[in-house]
Amino acid sequence: MCDITAVLTVDLLAQVLDWLHDSRDLKSCRLVSRAFLQAERMHRRAIRPLRLGPLPVLLRRYVGSLQSLDLSSCPSLDDSALSLSIPCPNNLLSVSLSRATGVTWRGLEVLASVCPRIEAIDISHCVGFGDREAAAVAKACWLKELRIDKCLNVTDVGLAKVAVGCSRLEKLGIKWCFEISEIGIDLLVKKCLELRELDISYLKVGNESLRSIASLSKLEDLALVGCEYIDDEGLYFLSNGNCSLQSIDISRCENVTSVGLTTLAEGQQRLRKINAGNCSPVLTSTFVSKLCTLGDTLIILKLDKLQLLASALEIVGKNCRNLLEIGLSKCNGVNDEGISWLVEGCTNLSTIDLTCCLLVTDKSLLSIAACCRGVKCLRLESCVLISEKGLDQIASCCMDLKEIDLTDCNVNDNALKCLSRCSELLVLKIGLCSGVSDIGLSFIGTNCSKLLELDLYRCTAITDDGLAAISNGCKRLKKLNLCYCNQISDTGLAHLQLEELSDLELRGMVRITSSGITAMAMGCRSLTQLDLKRCYSIDDAGMWALAQYTENLRQLTISYCTVTGLGLCHILGSLRCLQDVKMVHLSWVSIEGFELALRASCGKLKKVKLLGKLQDVLSSELLQTLQARGCRIRWVNKPLVFKG
Amino acid sequence: MKQIIGEPGIDLSSDSKMDLKLTRNSESFHKPNSSNHNLNSFNQASQYFPNLSPTNFLSRAENLQQNLKTKSTNSFEPNLNSGMATQNPPLDWDPHAMLSNLSFLEQKIHEVQSLVQSIIDQQAEFSSRPSELATRQQLATADLTCIIIQLISTAGSLLPSIKNTLLSNNPALRQLVNPDFNNNLKCEGLIRNFPETARNSEYEDLLRNLDNEADWMKEPNPPLQSDIVDANPIDEHDLKESDDGDAEREHLPPGSYIVLQLEKEEILAPHTHFCVICGKGFKRDANLRMHMRGHGDEYKTPAALAKPSKEPGSDVHPVTRYSCPFAGCKRNKEHKKFQPLKTILCVKNHYKRSHCDKSYTCSRCHAKKFSVIADLKTHEKHCGRDKWQCSCGTTFSRKDKLFGHVALFQGHTPALPMDEVKASGSGQGNDDMTEDLGGYNGNFASEECLTSMDVKGIDESRAYFSPMNFDGFGALDEFGRGGFDLEDNPFAFIPSGFSQRSGDS
């Protein structure tokens, strides 16, 4: 057998690898030969380890070329682990420490000092972080991209540190940093003149901030979701500012009305994306007519929960011919007539969101099928008037359809039969459709082999056979929701042999037991999230199986299971990736059991949900240790209620 | 004449007393005899001065006391036959009275001359006894004041009353001749049983002007006039509320308003009531109302003289704006881009802030200085509470100030609160404590200082009255009633601070 690298040089291999995105494909490639491994090593720029253990080996392998390191999935990451996991001479440009609650400012200072050229840091969702951490990050002076979303203790002072230290910032996310005020934003704008993307969603800042933000000449992307103190005056500042925005998200700004949107559309002529969902509900025709001026540039328009007339959609259809995505969820006035006018003009639409547009019928689907043949995503949740007739037309015309949401649409097996013609389908949601049975699923299983996500929430007619059809046909499934499908038993679960399945919800499936879980766990080894709430029959044996087979399990819900202290202790102790456990109402676990289990897990867990009564019973020293390691405990005071 | 001059010494506090005095004064004034009597008493008094042994001050004081007693007997005599007084025609220019006045002045000048001479002769001795020197100086000052007042009142009676109308159209001119004008007013007022408060205030003002010009003596505070001391902070707060007037720039076309320019002394005097026509300041509104009578008949009605009822806009004054007397100032009317000041309070604050020394230092930081007390008080409220610190060490009381600073300077960042915690953790706690205490002490000191300042303003004018009183321009009835109990305290005429010191020595 000749060396394959003789004909396929490393350069060529690298080019081939450019086209491989799936981690599983890359793994197969690595396993071909040493030469392939070498090529993969030289090609790789980013790693995302799931555990800290193998990290030193990995880093040694990739240290030269590695640019991006994502440590957000690593449990028990603290300062010392962080400083050990970053090789000293490196070319790292990007590090993600999202949800790394165990890290403190010292670790961040080390990070900033050992990665001199680092350009992107993500410390979002580290809820305990404050000004000191922000100050540590600010020492990375070449930073271009920073996410500190939901670092709840960051104030204006921290933001000022960042603004002064990282004057080259281009992208900044400070979503949910509630402590930041207009003063901080004002300073940020004065110091970081290169800003292109800014997310100040949910901040309590007012129009004055928008006045200063409007002076940022390079700003293109601005997110203002849920800024309740911003109103039309602020948008007026934006429309008259120096910036030429390409994208703006003003959804959930309750005080923004059509007047503000109109001035914005007048002033910012290069807008490509507008999200005005959930603003003040009445949308006047003046705004829609102003959209004409944006005309060709606009590609995304979201008007969720606004009251608009069919005539408005007509104007949009006539003028915004390049529109790719439209969001009309919960828009009361949307009807078939409006949709037909819209799609006649906007033939390039690929995403149409009609969630809760209760007036929409099959006629809309027919016009969509006729005009927008390239549609990829259709969200039709709660469009109760649609039937298999419309879906049949969609399935036959829109062969590119990748995602369809039919939750609560009362579709039946025939509809699924039609849809199964869309062989490219990746996401299918048919939750709450009690008319769907095993027959329908068998069509899907046979034809939609590329399916990644399937939602069968409360499809109570489904039995073990249906599940078997799915698991035999859709081998690439990553997400599966079987909540409350209470006819499925252990036999059905045993069919679930899905190697790539990462997210499985089995809530309220009262008939499954530990043996079913064991069989499932053996088949689905890459499971990271599992919900077993209210699976009353699952006991310690199930836990043992999970501990043994699903090594990557990160998030686990076992509330109401009949697990004892022993099982809990074992699973919390042995699962190395486990970070988030919800264990409310574990009536079989003693207080000592909880104590031991939590001690066994110590250092890994970031989030725990426990019964409120335990707060006084568990030793305070244990709770303090947990919190010191960055674990957040949510105490729940729900009564013990058995359902189903 | 004697009553006029003597009255500033009378206590201003009681209204009922004033009424009593008023009637008596007016009666006695119109009797030429009484002035002759007074003149005699002056002559008697003056005999003591040249013979005074300069070294023995106490003996002189005793003499003066005796002198006073004789005077009192003299001056009470004419009061007994008061019927004659009312029959005399008022305001007639009496050359005899004028002559006697002039001769009195002559004598008085001689007295002062000899007194000053004695000071010069014994300078060497005084160096060892500074308190005595001060006493002499005080006496000299009092005498000089007395002379000036006498001079002015004498001259005032010469001026024709039509001058009033001549001047009324020219504020600047009016300003120039202000003292005379006032004097004229006073004469008029006397004829009509002008309440003495008005006259008192004329003198107060006059004396204050003199005081400011010459910057004569600084006096320790006698425990007088607590009411005025209390009133003063309120006055300052009033000033504070109306700013320089910089904030709102009004656009009155030039010529649509009258420009008044007060003199520096007038501005710095602690007045709160100002004449809208000539800008003259008064400490009391009643005095102002009396003053207003001089501006025309419409101010002489009982309604105008009564306490102002709170009806705004009842009488319309021409739009008046003010000019700062500081040449070259933008608020000066000679300036090319003259911006007038809106009110007199604006003038006061502007002048103090822009053209005066910042004499009030913050007792906490010892760095910030102010020329307006209210500014200092505002600052002291916040001083020492700077919790916003920059990386350069500068501290700020407000976050937005800090951020403004950070925005201005390259590389400066706000300091983290934890830095402070660390710093104080490393053993600076005690220092902080002592600093705090220091702050308190300083605060006390400053408050003392402030009160003394407040008092001084009033006191400087007050200080002249006691000796003048003594020098006998009358108010003898006052003595009789025990306003000044000379029996008990022979030095009552000397400011109390001093009398104690001399008692010690």
Coordinates of all heavy atoms in Angstrom, one line a residue, chain A residues 131-132 135 156-157 160-161 164 181 183-184 187 190-191, chain B residues 388 399-400 403 406-407 409 412-416 418-419:
Chain A
D131 N -16.0 44.8 38.1 CA -15.1 45.8 37.5 C -13.6 45.3 37.6 O -12.8 45.6 36.7 CB -15.1 47.1 38.4 CG -16.5 47.8 38.1 OD1 -17.1 47.5 37.1 OD2 -16.8 48.6 39.0
R132 N -13.3 44.5 38.6 CA -12.0 44.0 38.7 C -11.6 43.1 37.5 O -10.5 43.1 36.9 CB -11.8 43.3 40.0 CG -10.4 43.2 40.4 CD -10.2 43.2 41.9 NE -9.5 44.5 42.4 CZ -8.3 44.7 42.1 NH1 -7.5 43.9 41.4 NH2 -7.7 45.8 42.6
A135 N -11.3 45.1 34.5 CA -10.0 45.8 34.4 C -8.9 44.8 34.0 O -7.9 45.2 33.3 CB -9.7 46.3 35.8
D156 N -19.9 51.2 35.5 CA -19.3 52.1 34.6 C -17.8 52.1 34.7 O -17.1 52.4 33.7 CB -19.8 53.5 34.9 CG -21.3 53.7 34.4 OD1 -21.7 53.0 33.5 OD2 -22.0 54.5 35.0
V157 N -17.3 51.9 35.9 CA -15.9 51.9 36.2 C -15.2 50.8 35.3 O -14.2 51.0 34.7 CB -15.6 51.8 37.7 CG1 -14.1 51.6 37.9 CG2 -16.1 52.9 38.4
A160 N -15.3 51.7 31.8 CA -14.3 52.7 31.5 C -12.9 52.1 31.4 O -12.1 52.5 30.6 CB -14.3 53.7 32.6
K161 N -12.6 51.1 32.3 CA -11.3 50.4 32.2 C -11.1 49.8 30.8 O -10.1 49.9 30.2 CB -11.2 49.3 33.3 CG -11.1 49.8 34.7 CD -9.7 50.0 35.0 CE -9.5 50.4 36.5 NZ -8.2 51.0 36.8
V164 N -10.7 52.5 28.0 CA -9.4 53.1 28.0 C -8.4 52.1 27.6 O -7.5 52.4 26.8 CB -9.1 53.7 29.4 CG1 -7.7 54.3 29.4 CG2 -10.1 54.8 29.7
S181 N -24.3 52.7 33.1 CA -25.2 53.8 32.9 C -24.8 54.6 31.7 O -23.8 54.3 31.0 CB -25.3 54.6 34.2 OG -24.1 55.4 34.3
I183 N -23.3 57.4 31.7 CA -22.0 58.0 31.8 C -20.9 57.0 31.2 O -20.0 57.5 30.5 CB -21.7 58.2 33.3 CG1 -22.7 59.2 33.9 CG2 -20.3 58.7 33.6 CD1 -22.7 59.4 35.4
G184 N -21.1 55.7 31.5 CA -20.1 54.8 31.0 C -20.2 54.7 29.5 O -19.2 54.6 28.8
L187 N -18.4 57.6 27.9 CA -17.0 57.5 27.9 C -16.5 56.4 26.8 O -15.6 56.6 26.1 CB -16.5 57.1 29.3 CG -15.0 57.0 29.4 CD1 -14.4 58.4 29.4 CD2 -14.5 56.3 30.6
K190 N -16.4 57.8 23.5 CA -15.3 58.8 23.3 C -14.0 58.1 23.2 O -13.1 58.6 22.5 CB -15.2 59.7 24.6 CG -16.3 60.8 24.5 CD -16.2 61.7 25.8 CE -17.3 62.7 25.8 NZ -17.6 63.1 27.1
K191 N -13.8 56.9 23.8 CA -12.5 56.2 23.7 C -12.4 55.2 22.6 O -11.3 55.0 22.1 CB -12.3 55.6 25.1 CG -12.2 56.5 26.3 CD -10.8 57.3 26.2 CE -10.7 58.2 27.5 NZ -9.5 59.0 27.4
Chain B
W388 N -14.9 59.2 44.1 CA -14.6 58.8 42.7 C -13.1 59.2 42.5 O -12.8 60.4 42.4 CB -15.5 59.4 41.8 CG -16.9 59.0 42.0 CD1 -17.9 59.7 42.6 CD2 -17.5 57.7 41.7 NE1 -19.1 58.9 42.7 CE2 -18.8 57.7 42.1 CE3 -17.0 56.6 41.0 CZ2 -19.7 56.6 41.9 CZ3 -17.8 55.5 40.8 CH2 -19.2 55.5 41.3
K399 N -19.5 61.0 40.0 CA -19.1 60.1 39.0 C -18.9 60.8 37.6 O -18.0 60.5 36.9 CB -20.0 58.9 38.9 CG -19.5 57.8 37.9 CD -20.2 56.5 38.2 CE -21.6 56.4 37.6 NZ -22.1 55.1 37.6
D400 N -19.9 61.6 37.3 CA -19.8 62.2 35.9 C -18.6 63.1 35.8 O -18.0 63.2 34.7 CB -21.1 62.9 35.6 CG -21.5 63.9 36.6 OD1 -21.1 63.7 37.8 OD2 -22.2 64.9 36.3
F403 N -15.7 60.9 35.1 CA -15.7 60.3 33.8 C -15.4 61.4 32.8 O -14.8 61.2 31.7 CB -17.0 59.6 33.5 CG -17.0 58.2 34.0 CD1 -17.0 57.9 35.3 CD2 -17.1 57.2 33.1 CE1 -17.0 56.6 35.8 CE2 -17.1 55.9 33.5 CZ -17.0 55.6 34.9
V406 N -11.7 61.5 32.9 CA -11.1 60.4 32.2 C -11.2 60.6 30.7 O -10.2 60.2 30.0 CB -11.8 59.1 32.7 CG1 -11.4 57.9 31.8 CG2 -11.4 58.8 34.1
A407 N -12.3 61.1 30.3 CA -12.5 61.3 28.8 C -11.5 62.3 28.3 O -11.1 62.2 27.1 CB -13.9 61.7 28.6
F409 N -8.3 63.0 29.4 CA -6.9 62.7 29.5 C -6.6 61.3 29.0 O -7.3 60.3 29.3 CB -6.3 62.8 30.9 CG -6.4 64.2 31.4 CD1 -7.5 64.6 32.2 CD2 -5.5 65.2 31.1 CE1 -7.6 65.9 32.7 CE2 -5.5 66.5 31.6 CZ -6.6 66.8 32.4
H412 N -5.8 57.8 31.4 CA -6.4 57.8 32.8 C -7.6 56.9 32.8 O -8.4 56.9 31.9 CB -6.8 59.3 33.2 CG -5.7 60.2 33.4 ND1 -5.7 61.2 34.3 CD2 -4.4 60.2 32.9 CE1 -4.6 61.9 34.3 NE2 -3.8 61.2 33.4
T413 N -7.7 56.2 33.9 CA -8.9 55.4 34.1 C -9.4 55.6 35.5 O -8.7 56.0 36.4 CB -8.5 53.9 33.9 OG1 -7.6 53.5 34.9 CG2 -8.0 53.5 32.6
P414 N -10.7 55.3 35.7 CA -11.2 55.3 37.1 C -10.5 54.3 37.9 O -10.3 53.2 37.4 CB -12.7 55.0 36.9 CG -13.0 55.1 35.4 CD -11.7 54.8 34.7
A415 N -10.2 54.6 39.1 CA -9.6 53.6 40.0 C -10.7 52.7 40.6 O -11.9 53.1 40.8 CB -9.0 54.3 41.2
L416 N -10.4 51.4 40.7 CA -11.3 50.5 41.3 C -11.6 50.7 42.7 O -10.6 51.1 43.5 CB -10.8 49.1 41.1 CG -10.8 48.6 39.6 CD1 -10.0 47.3 39.6 CD2 -12.1 48.5 39.1
M418 N -11.9 48.7 44.9 CA -11.1 47.7 45.7 C -9.7 48.2 46.0 O -9.1 47.8 47.0 CB -11.0 46.4 44.9 CG -12.2 45.5 45.2 SD -12.2 44.0 44.2 CE -10.9 43.1 45.0
D419 N -9.2 49.1 45.1 CA -7.9 49.6 45.4 C -7.9 50.3 46.8 O -6.9 50.2 47.6 CB -7.5 50.7 44.3 CG -7.2 49.9 43.0 OD1 -7.0 48.7 43.1 OD2 -7.3 50.6 42.0

